[in-house]
Amino acid sequence: MPVQLRKLDSNDADFNAQLRAVLAFEAAEDDAIDRAAAAILADVKARGDAAVLEYTNRYDQLDAASVSALEIRQDELHAALAGLEPARREALQVAADRVRAYHERQKQECGSDGFLYTEDDGTVLGQKVTPLDRVGIYVPGGKAAYPSSVLMNAIPAHVAGVQEIIMVVPTPAGVKNPLVLAAAAIAGVSRVFTIGGAQAVGALAYGTDIIPAVDKIVGPGNAYVAAAKRRVFGTVGIDMIAGPSEILVLCDGSTDPDWVAMDLFSQAEHDELAQSILVCPDADYIERVQQSIDRLLDDMPRRDTIRTSLADRGAMIKVRDMNEACEIANFIAPEHLEISAENPLQWSHRIRHAGAMFLGRFSSESIGDYCAGPNHVLPTSRTARFSSPLGVYDFQKRSSVIQVSEAGARTLGQVAAELAYGEGLQAHARSAEFRFK
Amino acid sequence: MPVQLRKLDSNDADFNAQLRAVLAFEAAEDDAIDRAAAAILADVKARGDAAVLEYTNRYDQLDAASVSALEIRQDELHAALAGLEPARREALQVAADRVRAYHERQKQECGSDGFLYTEDDGTVLGQKVTPLDRVGIYVPGGKAAYPSSVLMNAIPAHVAGVQEIIMVVPTPAGVKNPLVLAAAAIAGVSRVFTIGGAQAVGALAYGTDIIPAVDKIVGPGNAYVAAAKRRVFGTVGIDMIAGPSEILVLCDGSTDPDWVAMDLFSQAEHDELAQSILVCPDADYIERVQQSIDRLLDDMPRRDTIRTSLADRGAMIKVRDMNEACEIANFIAPEHLEISAENPLQWSHRIRHAGAMFLGRFSSESIGDYCAGPNHVLPTSRTARFSSPLGVYDFQKRSSVIQVSEAGARTLGQVAAELAYGEGLQAHARSAEFRFK
């Protein structure tokens, strides 16, 4: 049974309204889930390990005697790595090496150690960059347990110089994913606990006798995890709350339509809410991609998910030209943007907002998801307008450095005092004046 | 009537518990305020300008005929600047120039335009840095209307290359603060609307016919504004929700105690919840600072606020030595850290967590608050463990760039396919394989 994607044309009078309708997505804010997460957090804060153990045994059908018993030791992680079939182990290692190399470059290019400069009167100003002490990485259990996510979350922290990386991953019914454990071993994770849900977020945010409190929690999770992360924000840092994954393909009509169809599938197979959109100036080409979709879909093991995703949230947009396609891309600010075109640079220079740009027909998003090197944790739901891929910079912070010379204390102190009096803050003014009067 | 600050000694058996008690601060989460903010946001989202106008006229005792009538034109901003007495205008200009110079340096040192590199097989990887299109700056009205905050919030955005900077500032009873308007003129603010509260946050987040939707909202506000910002996070970016301001003074006992006393006052005068802490290895010196406080306090116009703040939240901590002082500073991760000591660098090198470091006895915090150059919007309540001063980087975001060569599509594609099959994502694998099979 084929799937018909919604077709839009930028020449339609109500195109903008149609486009907004296609993009419209409201993350379901479930009060019951939020209250449940809040209650679990409060309990973990109050009772620590005892609460963590109870919730874990209950929700993950375990029978652990203590939280200590929920820790996976390094030797087990490395055994999991050694136990992988060679081809898969090799692929995981290549991916980790490339992700590390890219993030090392990111650290080197920016945020290695800030700057410092001295003014004529001897006043020194600067910015010191330091890593976070300890971070927590949440890795979902069950079907969404992705080793690539372990690499993408842990390696930037490791490159940033974070001393302790604590990973939590629920293991319902005690089932452990060897690829996830192997990825932890490769990525430089310090400790792993098989806990999940809001109780894991609480343990990482507040700390328990066994589980150390972290400074920031990153990584995707279910609705309870997301609600818990929102609530502990401020006590610890958190990454963005991720929405459904999206791909926007800008194509000039020169790429094999089967390739584009499969790229749309690769996003749609994630889940029913994922969004795949093709933008193209060539109506015939759009039709050919539709035919490829119809021909290729039934062979896909995850065809049902793909079909629902494409039918409910997918779209094919006919535009006047590639310039207009770029403008639409800037409006959508997609998580993944493929510019599948001849000489893609002429178009990518016009893109202001995108999580990751895949340039040229050989740049499939899937290569970026696993092993190109850049991070696959990207801003979703138009947040690329104001946020960035997960990176080394998310595991560093800056401190301003101000060393005022005796001469500077006079010249700057007079300015500060003048403005402080203007704001009615006399102690501010006096504390500056004391230095030169 | 003198004020007695709490005295702690790191030799006390329960010192850590005492210190935690001193630092303990729970931002009051008022459900009524949160619900009220949510209702206003929903109304502004639904009715736009009509709702903004109603709430503004009601809460700010205005009688505006339209939201357009609430806009302050550029000529009025520049008239306010021209109308300042020369000394104050000059001080404001010097402060703005220095803040701009520091943030230009920040942009130049990091995040000017990312990086790009080519691998042996022709695959290109990189990171593109772009400014946000449009940002909103919230400036509180009434007593907390600080022109320095306008400079500190708007200038980094302007330096980052943000094209449109929309400032909102409530004017209860129509009272405008000329210094705030003048600061907006100097800082490069594009448009100013005299609106505030949750309705202003909603207008900026969702946009109305008159007020354009922004990509990020920064700036301090009251509890309604904070609640509204939390709720629109995701639709737009927001800065940290600021807690009470804090200063931690590490002193080796070589600074005039009056200077240190006044530095503690300068924090305490902000509000009753502000926190001023002195850490020193010299018990006699701590006593001398206490005497300076007793002698100087009654002369301060804001003595009542200072007294309450110091009595309720202030502290003086006797430590074994400056090394221990640095360790305590790292635990507290203060918003403002003064290292008032001989050769302060020997100690600042040990500091991992602080919003801003003021080195040497001539570096009063107040100079940093107004005109040293670094930003005065800093992480509070121990969040310097994982967050940074407001900076140019808050108004930029990054996009990953991936251009895979035909050769890379084979080598990388094989790795991606292997891992994709391992994760059960066959469409990911096929989309990589299509490029080389």
Side-chain angles (χ1 to χ4, degrees):
Chain A
M1 180 257 284
V3 57
Q4 197 62 40
L5 273 72
R6 212 166 342 184
K7 302 287 196 305
L8 279 64
D9 188 320
S10 65
N11 284 321
D12 292 352
D14 62 344
F15 171 70
N16 289 337
Q18 290 181 52
L19 180 58
R20 287 179 187 278
V22 166
L23 300 176
F25 175 78
E26 287 289 331
E29 293 269 325
D30 186 324
D31 281 352
I33 288 177
D34 187 51
R35 277 194 304 275
I40 292 171
L41 288 175
D43 196 18
V44 169
K45 190 175 187 179
R47 297 195 299 126
D49 289 314
V52 173
L53 186 63
E54 284 175 23
Y55 290 115
T56 302
N57 282 338
R58 183 188 317 162
Y59 295 132
D60 295 338
Q61 313 94 45
L62 299 180
D63 187 24
S66 71
V67 170
S68 299
L70 295 171
E71 181 165 6
I72 301 181
R73 310 289 165 186
Q74 287 288 334
D75 54 5
E76 185 174 349
L77 301 181
H78 286 91
L81 177 59
L84 296 181
E85 63 168 272
R88 194 144 290 171
R89 184 171 63 242
E90 175 61 19
L92 197 62
Q93 188 64 60
V94 169
D97 293 344
R98 291 187 57 87
V99 170
R100 183 173 293 275
Y102 178 86
H103 288 82
E104 289 282 3
R105 188 64 170 258
Q106 194 175 55
K107 180 181 183 182
Q108 160 198 333
E109 294 289 337
C110 159
S112 52
D113 49 19
F115 59 89
L116 208 66
Y117 61 96
T118 305
E119 300 185 307
D120 296 343
D121 67 8
T123 295
V124 176
L125 300 174
Q127 175 171 286
K128 180 178 181 179
V129 180
T130 46
L132 277 59
D133 285 347
R134 190 188 287 130
V135 303
I137 292 176
Y138 190 98
V139 177
K143 69 175 170 95
Y146 294 144
S148 56
S149 294
V150 176
L151 300 182
M152 294 293 183
N153 282 277
I155 289 174
H158 200 249
V159 169
V162 173
Q163 288 304 303
E164 221 177 332
I165 301 171
I166 313 294
M167 179 174 127
V168 294
V169 54
T171 54
V175 178
K176 298 172 182 174
N177 180 327
L179 267 172
V180 166
L181 302 192
I186 289 180
V189 170
S190 312
R191 301 177 69 182
V192 177
F193 293 92
T194 58
I195 60 177
Q199 58 273 24
V201 174
L204 291 171
Y206 308 127
T208 69
D209 293 339
I210 303 295
I211 300 167
V214 301
D215 300 303
K216 186 169 188 171
I217 301 173
V218 299
N222 62 22
Y224 291 89
V225 172
K229 280 171 70 179
R230 277 186 187 279
R231 284 185 165 270
V232 297
F233 174 60
T235 301
V236 297
I238 63 170
D239 55 357
M240 293 288 296
I241 306 294
S245 194
E246 331 138 13
I247 187 171
L248 181 70
V249 180
L250 303 192
C251 186
D252 61 3
S254 68
T255 307
D256 182 331
D258 284 0
W259 296 13
V260 170
M262 193 57 67
D263 294 348
L264 299 175
F265 286 179
S266 73
Q267 199 56 239
E269 77 176 338
H270 274 298
D271 67 77
E272 289 77 1
L273 290 172
Q275 183 158 59
S276 302
I277 299 176
L278 168 65
V279 179
C280 176
D282 179 343
D284 296 341
Y285 182 82
I286 290 176
E287 201 35 57
R288 293 210 298 284
V289 172
Q290 175 68 62
Q291 289 160 9
S292 295
I293 289 173
D294 298 338
R295 194 180 69 258
L296 296 167
L297 179 57
D298 290 342
D299 291 342
M300 305 313 302
R302 298 169 72 97
R303 70 184 74 84
D304 295 339
T305 303
I306 295 170
R307 184 176 287 110
T308 306
S309 165
L310 292 182
D312 293 355
R313 305 210 65 222
M316 293 175 153
I317 304 175
K318 161 74 170 64
V319 287
R320 279 187 288 282
D321 52 34
M322 286 295 284
N323 289 331
E324 187 179 42
C326 292
E327 278 319 299
I328 289 173
N330 282 325
F331 173 74
I332 294 178
E335 179 190 16
H336 304 97
L337 174 67
E338 272 185 23
I339 301 183
S340 198
E342 298 292 344
N343 183 11
L345 287 182
Q346 67 183 310
W347 309 123
S348 65
H349 288 138
R350 302 166 185 261
I351 301 300
R352 298 194 311 282
H353 312 303
M357 292 190 258
F358 298 80
L359 308 185
R361 69 171 61 90
F362 289 105
S363 304
S364 67
E365 185 211 305
S366 60
I367 285 178
D369 290 338
Y370 290 105
C371 61
N375 210 287
H376 79 195
V377 180
L378 299 167
T380 59
S381 310
R382 303 194 65 223
T383 59
R385 291 176 296 121
F386 54 82
S387 52
S388 303
L390 189 69
V392 169
Y393 37 77
D394 288 301
F395 300 101
Q396 298 175 316
K397 70 284 193 303
R398 306 163 182 88
S399 301
S400 303
V401 177
I402 301 171
Q403 183 163 17
V404 179
S405 67
E406 183 164 7
R410 172 171 297 277
T411 52
L412 300 180
Q414 287 167 334
V415 173
E418 175 68 28
L419 293 171
Y421 285 122
E423 293 184 354
L425 297 175
Q426 297 86 356
H428 281 68
R430 298 295 305 285
S431 104
E433 289 170 341
F434 272 173
R435 267 78 177 180
F436 64 86
K437 280 189 175 163
Chain B
M1 181 256 283
V3 57
Q4 197 63 38
L5 273 71
R6 214 168 339 185
K7 302 288 197 303
L8 279 64
D9 189 319
S10 64
N11 284 320
D12 292 351
D14 62 343
F15 171 70
N16 289 337
Q18 290 182 50
L19 180 57
R20 287 179 187 278
V22 167
L23 300 176
F25 175 78
E26 288 288 329
E29 295 266 324
D30 186 323
D31 281 352
I33 288 177
D34 186 48
R35 278 194 302 274
I40 292 171
L41 288 176
D43 196 19
V44 169
K45 191 175 186 179
R47 297 197 298 127
D49 288 316
V52 172
L53 185 63
E54 283 176 22
Y55 291 114
T56 302
N57 282 338
R58 184 188 315 162
Y59 295 133
D60 295 338
Q61 313 95 46
L62 299 180
D63 187 22
S66 71
V67 170
S68 299
L70 296 170
E71 180 164 8
I72 302 181
R73 310 288 165 188
Q74 287 288 334
D75 54 5
E76 185 174 349
L77 302 181
H78 288 279
L81 177 58
L84 295 181
E85 61 169 273
R88 193 144 290 171
R89 184 172 62 245
E90 174 62 18
L92 197 63
Q93 189 65 60
V94 169
D97 293 345
R98 292 188 57 86
V99 170
R100 182 172 294 275
Y102 177 85
H103 288 83
E104 290 282 2
R105 188 64 170 256
Q106 192 174 58
K107 180 181 182 181
Q108 159 196 336
E109 294 289 338
C110 159
S112 50
D113 48 19
F115 60 89
L116 209 65
Y117 61 97
T118 305
E119 301 186 308
D120 296 343
D121 67 9
T123 294
V124 176
L125 300 174
Q127 175 172 287
K128 180 179 181 178
V129 180
T130 46
L132 277 60
D133 283 347
R134 190 188 288 129
V135 304
I137 293 176
Y138 190 97
V139 177
K143 70 175 167 98
Y146 294 143
S148 56
S149 295
V150 176
L151 301 182
M152 294 293 182
N153 281 278
I155 289 175
H158 200 249
V159 169
V162 173
Q163 288 304 303
E164 219 177 335
I165 301 172
I166 313 294
M167 178 174 128
V168 294
V169 55
T171 53
V175 179
K176 297 173 184 173
N177 180 327
L179 266 171
V180 165
L181 301 192
I186 289 180
V189 170
S190 312
R191 301 177 69 183
V192 177
F193 293 91
T194 59
I195 60 176
Q199 58 273 23
V201 174
L204 292 171
Y206 308 126
T208 69
D209 292 340
I210 303 296
I211 300 167
V214 302
D215 299 303
K216 187 169 188 171
I217 301 174
V218 300
N222 62 22
Y224 291 89
V225 172
K229 280 172 69 180
R230 278 187 185 279
R231 284 184 166 272
V232 297
F233 174 60
T235 302
V236 297
I238 64 171
D239 56 355
M240 293 287 297
I241 306 293
S245 193
E246 331 138 14
I247 188 171
L248 181 70
V249 180
L250 302 192
C251 186
D252 62 2
S254 68
T255 307
D256 182 330
D258 283 0
W259 296 13
V260 170
M262 194 57 66
D263 294 347
L264 299 175
F265 287 179
S266 71
Q267 198 57 238
E269 76 176 339
H270 275 296
D271 67 78
E272 289 77 2
L273 290 173
Q275 182 157 60
S276 301
I277 299 177
L278 168 65
V279 178
C280 178
D282 180 342
D284 296 342
Y285 182 80
I286 289 176
E287 201 36 57
R288 294 210 297 285
V289 173
Q290 175 67 61
Q291 289 161 10
S292 295
I293 289 173
D294 298 339
R295 194 179 70 258
L296 295 167
L297 180 56
D298 290 342
D299 290 344
M300 304 313 301
R302 299 169 73 98
R303 70 185 75 84
D304 296 339
T305 302
I306 295 170
R307 185 177 285 110
T308 306
S309 164
L310 293 181
D312 294 354
R313 305 210 66 221
M316 293 174 154
I317 304 176
K318 161 72 171 65
V319 287
R320 279 189 287 283
D321 52 34
M322 287 294 283
N323 289 332
E324 187 179 42
C326 292
E327 278 319 299
I328 289 173
N330 282 326
F331 172 74
I332 294 177
E335 179 189 15
H336 304 97
L337 175 66
E338 271 186 24
I339 301 183
S340 198
E342 298 292 343
N343 184 10
L345 287 182
Q346 67 183 308
W347 309 123
S348 64
H349 289 138
R350 301 166 186 261
I351 301 300
R352 299 194 311 279
H353 312 303
M357 292 189 259
F358 298 80
L359 308 184
R361 71 172 60 92
F362 289 105
S363 303
S364 67
E365 185 210 304
S366 60
I367 285 179
D369 289 338
Y370 290 106
C371 60
N375 210 289
H376 80 191
V377 180
L378 299 166
T380 59
S381 310
R382 304 193 63 225
T383 58
R385 292 176 295 120
F386 54 83
S387 54
S388 304
L390 189 69
V392 170
Y393 37 77
D394 288 302
F395 300 101
Q396 297 174 316
K397 69 296 194 290
R398 307 162 182 89
S399 302
S400 303
V401 177
I402 300 171
Q403 183 163 16
V404 179
S405 66
E406 183 163 6
R410 170 171 297 278
T411 53
L412 299 180
Q414 286 167 335
V415 172
E418 175 67 28
L419 294 171
Y421 285 122
E423 292 185 352
L425 296 175
Q426 297 85 357
H428 282 66
R430 298 295 305 284
S431 102
E433 289 171 340
F434 272 173
R435 268 78 177 180
F436 64 87
K437 280 186 175 166

